[in-house]
Amino acid sequence: MRRDSGIVRGLVDWLTGGLSARLDFLERDVDAIQREQAGMTRVLAQHHQELAEHRTQIQQQMDSMIALRKMHAALSEKIGQPFPGKTCLKCGSPMVFRRESEQKAYSLSCIQGCGERLLLPEAQLLETFARSAD
């Protein structure tokens, strides 16, 4: 029996040793997968944050474009009209409101064309419109 028990014991040790080695490999694989998942989670979180920031920037640009179009529509009736209370310092003629699209601005210039001109950038006008809407 002793001989049989030694063989059985050896067989059991051999089997459990193999299972232990397999369990060690499984534990290492699970650890590696968990580390990979943690890394992927960090990358995905970073990408999500970047996309959220990009979406916010696009929304702000869209809001700005809409506000700019509204301002253009509101001022379109005034283009070519004399600006009340503003006269040319050189000749005393009325100053006319004009759109300077290539400069992204509006201007007040002398109706006689004597050269005096006041440039009003769209960005500043837009801020003024935004403040007056609040």
Side-chain angles (χ1 to χ4, degrees), residues 84-103:
K86 186 71 175 164
T87 58
C88 179
L89 295 176
K90 289 183 182 178
C91 67
S93 297
M95 299 290 279
V96 176
F97 190 68
R98 293 195 172 104
R99 171 86 169 98
E100 307 289 340
S101 58
E102 58 279 341
Q103 295 176 339

Side-chain angles (χ1 to χ4, degrees), residues 8 10 28-29 38 61 82 96 115 125:
V8 171
R28 275 188 262 142
D29 288 347
Q61 289 173 350
V96 176
L125 287 173

Side-chain angles (χ1 to χ4, degrees), residues 20-131:
S20 176
R22 285 187 210 123
L23 286 175
D24 288 342
F25 285 125
L26 283 173
E27 284 177 7
R28 275 188 262 142
D29 288 347
V30 167
D31 287 343
I33 289 170
Q34 286 175 337
R35 283 192 301 274
E36 236 178 82
Q37 278 184 324
M40 290 173 79
T41 300
R42 282 191 302 276
V43 168
L44 287 173
Q46 180 184 0
H47 284 227
H48 179 73
Q49 178 67 28
E50 289 170 1
L51 286 172
E53 289 170 1
H54 187 67
R55 185 187 69 218
T56 301
Q57 289 172 351
I58 289 174
Q59 186 62 48
Q60 289 172 345
Q61 289 173 350
M62 292 293 293
D63 292 346
S64 178
M65 288 173 58
I66 290 168
L68 191 60
R69 292 209 185 271
K70 286 180 180 179
M71 181 185 77
H72 286 312
L75 294 176
S76 66
E77 296 174 7
K78 304 293 183 185
I79 293 176
Q81 301 294 319
F83 194 80
K86 186 71 175 164
T87 58
C88 179
L89 295 176
K90 289 183 182 178
C91 67
S93 297
M95 299 290 279
V96 176
F97 190 68
R98 293 195 172 104
R99 171 86 169 98
E100 307 289 340
S101 58
E102 58 279 341
Q103 295 176 339
K104 295 186 178 183
Y106 288 88
S107 69
L108 290 177
S109 55
C110 178
I111 200 164
Q112 299 295 324
C114 71
E116 185 175 352
R117 185 173 134 198
L118 175 64
L119 199 62
L120 308 163
E122 286 179 348
Q124 290 178 347
L125 287 173
L126 194 58
E127 286 177 22
T128 303
F129 266 77
R131 274 187 261 133

